[in-house]
């Protein structure tokens, strides 16, 4: 069975491709290589011994996308990762974000009607909840006004898919709202490849440990949490990869009647920034140079998932610990020297 993975050479996507290939799906990757490289394709092949089909296409290019779907009507499911993801950059370049994350989603959905009964998995984010009033965060927590264009593209993306399905489209879809993906494949053959200065915590931690960055700034220690630093739900990227396969299988199941659904994807456990630093130091047996800095605008204090729905309805639970993820992230970083 052939599955299209857009943005398939990105961080979460490449691990998902591995998980799909390991379950014997045939994978077709589209990527424009804007934020990754062909080395990732090689890494996927080295891990799995398989060669997914690869198309260097920018999904904003309607005619290339249309030609692709004309050539590949054999695709049964689409996992849509291709998107920009840097919050700060989205404030500076909102139209680029709306074009890539929203307009291109529309093009993709339009093309998906060339497939018989398409199944669609959408990469969403816990950012749609902003600071939830109740913890852990359930899927019923209200979506709140986004505080960045990036966050807004995820909210709008979910709405577009739902509106399209409600119009009677022959599409079934699941939005997965990721909490904080970290780590790398345990072989260290694929991982996160931030371009420039990393914005996310764990790549900054590993680059500081590697000496590429002088010091990690902890953004605020005056939050109303136990140690004063923000709390997040850090999930191993391979756990996250596996839920994509499970969600897709749910949609491919003939008996599955629901057209649209949303799931939180996290571990259910909250860890502070200082917990991440201490665990990283302990499992990798090293010392990290860090300092306390000002709060980062837009950060929420605490976010962790209520995992009941995904456990009950999809039978999935994160298996790997934060310590595993921080070990794997460090092994990956060491190979980037
Ligand atoms: C961020 C985005 C979120 C997006 C996700 C994608 C913001 C406000 N949120 O989530 O919308 O979906 O990335 O990966 O940017 N931290 C430091 N020092 C650093 C970097 C981070 O202390 O150098 C802290 C942050 O304040 C936060 C935690 O580490 O408390 C995690 O930060 P990060 O990895 O950037 O993820 P989020 O902010 O949760």
């Amino acid at each position: 069975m052939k599955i299209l993975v857009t943005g398939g050479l990105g961080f979460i996507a490449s691990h998902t491709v591995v998980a799909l290939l390991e379950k014997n799906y045939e994978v077709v990757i589209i990527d424009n290589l804007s934020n990754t490289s062909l080395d990732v394709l090689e890494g996927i092949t080295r891990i799995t011994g398989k060669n997914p089909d690869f198309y260097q296409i920018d999904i904003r290019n309607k005619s290339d996308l249309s030609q692709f779907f004309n050539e590949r009507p054999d695709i049964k499911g689409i996992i849509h990762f291709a998107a920009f993801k840097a919050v700060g950059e989205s404030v500076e370049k909102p139209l680029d974000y709306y074009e890539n994350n929203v307009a291109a989603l529309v093009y993709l959905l339009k093309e998906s009607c060339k497939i018989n009964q398409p199944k669609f998995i959408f990469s969403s984010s816990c950012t749609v909840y902003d600071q939830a009033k109740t913890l852990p965060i359930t899927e019923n927590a209200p979506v709140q006004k986004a505080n960045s264009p990036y966050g807004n593209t995820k909210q709008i993306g979910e709405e577009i898919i739902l509106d399209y399905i409600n119009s009677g489209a022959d599409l079934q879809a699941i939005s997965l709202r990721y909490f904080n993906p970290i780590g790398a494949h345990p072989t260290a053959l694929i991982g996160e490849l931030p371009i420039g200065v990393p914005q996310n915590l764990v790549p900054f931690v590993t680059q500081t440990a590697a000496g590429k960055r002088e010091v990690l700034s902890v953004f605020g220690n005056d939050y109303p949490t136990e140690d004063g630093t923000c709390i997040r739900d850090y999930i191993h990227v391979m756990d996250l990869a596996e839920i994509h396969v499970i969600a897709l299988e749910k949609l491919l199941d003939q008996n599955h009647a629901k057209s649209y659904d949303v799931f939180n994807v996290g571990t259910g456990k909250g860890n502070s920034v200082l917990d991440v630093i201490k665990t990283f130091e302990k499992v990798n047996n090293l010392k990290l140079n860090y300092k306390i800095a000002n709060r980062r605008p837009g950060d929420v204090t605490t976010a962790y998932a209520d995992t009941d729905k995904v456990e009950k309805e999809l039978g999935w639970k994160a298996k790997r610990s934060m310590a595993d993820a921080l070990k794997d992230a460090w092994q990956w970083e060491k190979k980037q020297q």
Side-chain angles (χ1 to χ4, degrees), residues 273-298:
V273 178
L274 293 179
D275 289 335
V276 171
I277 294 172
K278 280 183 208 138
T279 309
F280 181 82
E281 289 183 329
K282 187 165 169 229
V283 297
N284 296 311
N285 196 24
L286 43 76
K287 278 270 160 240
L288 197 68
N289 189 22
Y290 70 89
K291 62 170 190 200
I292 305 299
N294 289 335
R295 290 183 178 197
R296 180 172 69 178

Side-chain angles (χ1 to χ4, degrees), residues 64-332:
D64 284 0
L65 195 63
S66 177
Q67 195 186 335
F68 170 84
F69 276 91
N70 292 339
E71 283 171 19
R72 303 300 303 242
D74 51 344
I75 283 165
K76 297 278 179 245
I78 301 170
I79 307 184
H80 177 44
F81 289 101
F84 293 145
K85 61 172 183 182
V87 175
E89 184 186 60
S90 78
V91 177
E92 282 152 33
K93 300 177 180 171
L95 298 185
D96 289 355
Y97 273 69
Y98 288 115
E99 183 182 37
N100 199 32
N101 297 11
V102 179
L105 167 66
V106 173
Y107 304 157
L108 188 62
L109 290 171
K110 281 192 167 183
E111 290 299 326
S112 72
C113 68
K114 291 179 182 163
I115 301 173
N116 185 28
Q117 297 184 315
K119 315 297 178 198
F120 197 86
I121 308 289
F122 179 62
S123 290
S124 190
S125 166
C126 69
T127 192
V128 302
Y129 300 116
D130 197 41
Q131 179 59 69
K133 306 261 177 312
T134 314
L135 294 160
I137 304 174
T138 70
E139 289 79 355
N140 293 326
V143 168
Q144 302 198 71
K145 187 175 166 24
N147 61 26
S148 73
Y150 160 77
N152 208 20
T153 65
K154 293 298 169 189
Q155 298 189 6
I156 297 170
E158 289 191 9
E159 286 173 4
I160 288 172
I161 296 165
L162 185 56
D163 286 345
Y164 181 48
I165 287 170
N166 285 341
S167 75
D170 189 17
L171 179 84
Q172 286 179 295
I174 287 178
S175 290
L176 297 176
R177 292 177 176 163
Y178 313 148
F179 281 68
N180 288 58
I182 59 165
H185 193 270
T187 58
L189 289 166
I190 54 171
E192 194 166 2
L193 274 173
I195 291 178
V197 181
Q199 304 301 309
N200 295 115
L201 177 63
V202 171
F204 209 106
V205 164
T206 59
Q207 289 198 7
T208 306
K212 288 184 190 163
R213 311 278 156 208
E214 205 184 314
V215 55
L216 166 76
S217 293
V218 173
F219 296 143
N221 69 346
D222 57 350
Y223 284 96
T225 61
E226 212 164 291
D227 64 21
T229 65
C230 294
I231 291 175
R232 296 288 183 273
D233 184 338
Y234 295 94
I235 174 170
H236 195 297
V237 65
M238 280 311 298
D239 278 327
L240 185 52
E242 285 163 13
I243 187 62
H244 289 80
V245 183
I246 292 168
L248 183 74
E249 285 174 344
K250 182 84 172 171
L251 295 180
L252 289 166
D253 179 348
Q254 299 286 339
N255 298 319
H256 183 69
K258 228 175 182 177
S259 301
Y260 182 69
D261 217 342
V262 172
F263 293 94
N264 284 343
V265 190
T267 65
K269 291 183 203 79
N271 279 288
S272 73
V273 178
L274 293 179
D275 289 335
V276 171
I277 294 172
K278 280 183 208 138
T279 309
F280 181 82
E281 289 183 329
K282 187 165 169 229
V283 297
N284 296 311
N285 196 24
L286 43 76
K287 278 270 160 240
L288 197 68
N289 189 22
Y290 70 89
K291 62 170 190 200
I292 305 299
N294 289 335
R295 290 183 178 197
R296 180 172 69 178
D299 273 343
V300 300
T301 305
T302 303
Y304 54 93
D306 185 312
T307 55
D308 268 12
K309 184 176 177 193
V310 74
E311 280 177 33
K312 286 198 185 108
E313 296 184 25
L314 296 182
W316 171 91
K317 202 173 170 8
K319 297 192 286 257
R320 296 150 178 100
S321 67
M322 186 170 85
D324 294 335
L326 293 172
K327 255 190 247 168
D328 292 338
W330 178 233
Q331 292 310 312
W332 164 251

